[in-house]
Amino acid sequence: MLVTFEEEYLRILYEEGRSVDKKHRLQPDIIRRYQKAINFLKGASSIEALWPIRSLNYEVLSGDKAGRSSVRINDRYRVEFTVSLNENEPILTICNVLELSNHYK
């Protein structure tokens, strides 16, 4: 799959493993897991290939986040993305890294 980034800080976080500003600073372990999740997404042949990978906990979001999907980084963080179907391969656009509140755990 082709992976693109909605925000520049998400691309830098993936490619360089660091944050460019204090607002989007994450712990090194979270950054490594974020990079690993993106690598899983890049390596998958289709969205359906993500379903059996239980550690990703792939889900299609609903409600005010309708149209987005997410995978788990760990029990506290998720990566949200949109899926666009291209004639050759799906295009995933990484939207954000979200810290879950206690309500969702």
Side-chain angles (χ1 to χ4, degrees):
M1 286 192 268
L2 181 64
V3 174
T4 61
F5 299 91
E6 189 173 88
E7 301 289 335
E8 185 66 14
Y9 83 91
L10 293 167
R11 183 191 63 76
I12 292 171
L13 195 62
Y14 171 70
E15 292 176 353
E16 299 178 17
R18 63 178 179 83
S19 176
V20 293
D21 58 10
K22 290 182 180 182
K23 180 179 180 184
H24 300 108
R25 192 171 292 164
L26 296 170
Q27 297 170 347
D29 182 53
I30 301 301
I31 294 172
R32 280 192 301 277
R33 290 173 186 246
Y34 168 72
Q35 292 170 324
K36 185 177 178 181
I38 302 299
N39 288 334
F40 268 120
L41 295 174
K42 282 185 168 188
S45 58
S46 67
I47 292 298
E48 292 80 18
L50 299 175
W51 295 340
I53 305 172
R54 295 182 58 87
S55 64
L56 289 178
N57 197 23
Y58 170 77
E59 67 178 305
V60 178
L61 302 176
S62 59
D64 61 342
K65 301 232 181 204
R68 289 189 177 186
S69 300
S70 72
V71 293
R72 180 184 294 164
I73 293 177
N74 67 5
D75 62 340
R76 201 167 153 195
Y77 289 88
R78 298 185 75 77
V79 175
E80 290 184 353
F81 57 92
T82 59
V83 179
S84 306
L85 297 177
N86 189 355
E87 53 193 52
N88 295 332
E89 63 182 330
I91 299 173
L92 302 181
T93 303
I94 307 300
C95 298
N96 62 20
V97 177
L98 179 68
E99 182 175 11
L100 300 175
S101 64
N102 289 335
H103 174 70
Y104 294 108
K105 288 184 183 177

